[in-house]
Amino acid sequence: MTAIKAEGPEDVVNPQPHGGGARLPTMLITVRVNGQDHRAEVEPQLRLSAFLRERLQLTGLKEGCREGECGACTVLLDGEPVNSCLVLAIQADGRVVETIEGLADADGRLSDLQTAFVTHGAVQCGYCTPGMVMAAEGLLRRNANPTPDEIRQALAGNICRCTGYVTIVKAVQAAAEAGDHRR
Amino acid sequence: MSLLAAAPRDLAALMPLVREASELRFIAGGTDLLAQPGALPRAGLLLDISGIAELRGIALANDGLHIGAGTTIADIAESPLIRRHIAALAVAASQCGSVQIRNRATIGGNVANAAAAADLPPMLKCSGAQFTVMARGGQIRRLAFDELMPVTGGTRLAPGDLISNILLPTEELLPRSGFVKLGRRQEMTIARLNLAMQASYDPGSRRFGAVRLVAGAIGPAPVFLARAAAALTGASLSARTVGVFLDALVDEVDRAIPGRASRPYKRRAIIGLGLDLLAQLTGCDAAELPFEGGSP
C-alpha cells in the first residue's frame, strides 16, 4: 500500500515507520465490513472514517466536517447509524460495519433505497448521498413504514446543500413502500 | 512518548489500568471528545470504556432508577422504564443531537463534559440524581448533583475519576415531568434555553402539588428556579397562576443573566417555553392554557 501523507495525528493511516521516526503504538482490531472480516493494526487516534476510506479504500463515505454535524460520513455500526468521524477505529473491534458500498447486492444491483434516490431526483452533487442513504437504511430497518416527519427526524443529522430534502423524503417513502429492509 | 490505548471489557480489567497510568483519558461515545480539534492526547493512555457492559443498562431497584453511565442517549430515549418513571428524561434524550450522535453519546459523557447547554443535566438535577464515582485509587463515592456539578460550572471530577452509575432516587421522583428546549433549529441544535420540571398534578381538580423546576443554558450550570416553582406549588391551573408563573420565569432570567446581551431575547423566550412546559406536564394544549399578562 502506498504511504499516504498524514495531515495530523488523527489522520495517521499507515502503520509503516514514518521518515526518521519510530513506529506508533498500535492495536490489532478485527472488524467485519460489508460482510468481510478485516484484521489491521491501527493507531489509537485513527478514526473509523479514515480507516474505512484510506485503509479499505471504501471512499463512498465522505468527511465533511469531522465533528458529527453534517452526517456525510454516516455508516451503520452493528446496524445503527453513527458518524464514523466520531468513532475511533479501535472502537469498531469485534463489531459489524456497513457502508454504502455494501448496500448493492453481489451482482451490483442497487438496493430499493438506492434506486429510489436515483429515480426521485434525491441526488444532485452526490456528496451527502452515501451518508444520507445509510441513515435512511438505518431508519427503514427499525421502522418499515415511517411517516414523513419520522423520516425528517431520522435524517436530521444529515445536511444536503442541493436538494432541499423534499425529494430525499419522497425517495425514502418510496423505498419503504417497495422494499423489505429487515436484515 | 506516544499515545497508547487499551479497551478493557470489564471493570476488573479497567481499574488496574487506571491506577497505573500517569496520564489517562477516558473515551466512551466520543461525540464530545472527538468533535473538539486536538482534544485527543498525544501521549499517555487512552482508555476506551465503550465495551464495558457493566457500565451500561437501566434498572429499577428498591432505591430508584439506576442508569449505567455508559448507557447511550438513544437507549435512554427509548427505555420503557425511563418513559414510565421519568418520561421527561426520555424527552430530553430524544432531543440531544441527531440519531447518529444519540447512538454513541452516553449519559456519563454528557454529565462529565458539563456543557452549560447540555440537555440531560437539568432533568437529572430536577430528579435529585446521585452519581457513583470510582476514583483512581479504588474508592467509590456517591455524590449528590451539586457535589459533582457545582453551580459555578464544570465538575468536581479528579483525574482518573470515572462516573459509573446515575441513580434517580425513588423518593425524588414525582408523578409527572416535562422538558422543553429552545434552539436555533428544530433538530440537531444546542439549547439556548431549556426547562426541566417534575410535579404532582391532579387533572381532575387542575391543581398542582409539589413542583420542582430547573433551567439549563442560563448560566454555567443548571439552576433551580425556586420562585417559579413556588408559583405553581399547591396552586390551581388558573389564568392568575399561569401569569404569576410566567412573571417569575422572566424574573429568574433577569437574576441569572443580568448583563448578558441575550437577556432581552431570553426574557421573551422563557414565556413561550414556560407555556409549552405547562402544556406538556398537564396534558393541555398550550393554546388553551388560561393566560393573562406575563411580562414581555
Side-chain angles (χ1 to χ4, degrees):
Chain A
M1 174 190 263
T2 303
I4 298 167
K5 183 173 163 51
E7 294 172 359
E10 292 88 355
D11 291 306
V12 174
V13 297
N14 189 327
Q16 300 306 311
H18 297 270
R23 180 188 279 261
L24 288 174
T26 60
M27 283 179 70
L28 178 65
I29 65 170
T30 303
V31 192
R32 175 160 292 187
V33 182
N34 297 334
Q36 259 197 315
D37 286 338
H38 295 270
R39 283 165 60 88
E41 291 278 352
V42 298
E43 293 75 18
Q45 306 94 324
L46 184 67
R47 295 175 191 241
L48 180 61
S49 51
F51 174 74
L52 294 168
R53 284 183 53 86
E54 309 294 353
R55 294 284 191 93
L56 302 187
Q57 303 296 299
L58 294 170
T59 54
L61 72 98
K62 305 293 183 274
E63 280 195 342
C65 70
R66 290 178 117 230
E67 54 184 34
E69 289 275 343
C70 76
C73 67
T74 302
V75 300
L76 300 185
L77 182 65
D78 292 342
E80 301 287 350
V82 299
N83 296 308
S84 59
C85 68
L86 296 185
V87 180
L88 294 176
I90 61 173
Q91 296 183 299
D93 181 36
R95 305 187 65 173
V96 175
V97 176
E98 296 169 79
T99 73
I100 188 70
E101 289 88 349
L103 281 197
D105 67 18
D107 297 326
R109 194 170 64 98
L110 298 180
S111 70
D112 289 334
L113 180 59
Q114 289 171 303
T115 301
F117 265 67
V118 172
T119 58
H120 284 74
V123 182
Q124 291 190 26
C125 80
Y127 201 84
C128 78
T129 305
M132 195 73 77
V133 170
M134 295 314 290
E137 178 70 19
L139 166 68
L140 292 178
R141 290 188 192 179
R142 296 178 123 242
N143 180 354
N145 291 297
T147 64
D149 278 350
E150 287 171 332
I151 294 170
R152 289 191 195 93
Q153 212 172 29
L155 301 184
N158 295 76
I159 296 174
C160 175
R161 295 288 283 137
C162 299
T163 65
Y165 303 100
V166 173
T167 51
I168 290 174
V169 172
K170 286 185 176 168
V172 177
Q173 281 182 287
E177 288 161 15
D180 179 357
H181 293 266
R182 289 168 299 174
R183 288 286 175 108
Chain B
M1 286 284 285
S2 35
L3 183 65
L4 304 176
R9 294 302 186 202
D10 53 48
L11 292 174
L14 171 69
M15 295 317 291
L17 293 168
V18 174
R19 274 196 302 274
E20 290 157 16
S22 54
E23 297 173 55
L24 71 90
R25 192 73 192 258
F26 294 113
I27 184 167
T31 53
D32 284 316
L33 181 63
L34 296 180
Q36 301 165 34
L40 272 181
R42 292 177 183 249
L45 180 63
L46 182 67
L47 267 175
D48 174 22
I49 57 175
S50 64
I52 299 179
E54 292 151 279
L55 292 177
R56 292 195 300 270
I58 300 167
L60 183 64
N62 289 337
D63 55 352
L65 262 176
H66 287 259
I67 308 171
T71 305
T72 65
I73 290 179
D75 284 346
I76 289 169
E78 293 162 10
S79 163
L81 274 176
I82 300 282
R83 287 178 173 180
R84 191 178 319 133
H85 295 279
I86 183 74
L89 183 61
V91 172
S94 72
Q95 296 181 22
C96 288
S98 61
V99 166
Q100 294 94 323
I101 297 285
R102 294 192 288 274
N103 283 338
R104 294 288 300 165
T106 64
I107 185 170
N110 196 243
V111 170
N113 191 54
D119 294 315
L120 300 190
M123 203 66 232
L124 295 176
K125 183 174 174 104
C126 193
S127 309
Q130 298 174 10
F131 303 94
T132 302
V133 177
M134 305 172 70
R136 177 175 254 167
Q139 307 92 328
I140 296 176
R141 298 174 291 161
R142 182 172 279 183
L143 301 177
F145 188 97
D146 287 353
E147 291 178 311
L148 179 68
M149 302 187 79
V151 294
T152 48
T155 71
R156 292 203 177 104
L157 292 171
D161 280 356
L162 178 69
I163 302 170
S164 62
N165 183 71
I166 294 105
L167 168 66
L168 304 184
T170 304
E171 64 269 20
E172 298 284 344
L173 296 181
L174 296 175
R176 293 182 177 231
S177 59
F179 176 85
V180 291
K181 169 181 175 179
L182 180 66
R184 286 190 167 91
R185 301 182 289 218
Q186 289 187 20
E187 302 277 347
M188 189 64 182
T189 190
I190 293 174
R192 298 205 69 196
L193 200 51
N194 55 36
L195 294 175
M197 180 184 279
Q198 280 207 93
S200 297
Y201 176 76
D202 175 27
S205 62
R206 288 164 65 100
R207 183 168 288 276
F208 289 92
V211 176
R212 280 204 293 276
L213 179 62
V214 172
I218 204 172
V223 292
F224 276 116
L225 303 186
R227 187 163 162 257
L232 296 177
T233 301
S236 62
L237 186 63
S238 64
R240 184 176 182 284
T241 298
V242 173
V244 173
F245 171 64
L246 297 179
D247 281 344
L249 285 178
V250 174
D251 185 60
E252 303 273 18
V253 168
D254 290 340
R255 288 165 186 263
I257 49 173
R260 292 284 292 272
S262 59
R263 187 170 75 100
Y265 166 72
K266 291 191 177 181
R267 290 180 100 244
R268 293 186 68 91
I270 205 166
I271 292 174
L273 276 188
L275 289 169
D276 285 344
L277 185 63
L278 286 180
Q280 191 183 120
L281 191 123
T282 62
C284 298
D285 190 306
E288 293 170 4
L289 282 171
F291 173 40
E292 295 174 353
S295 307

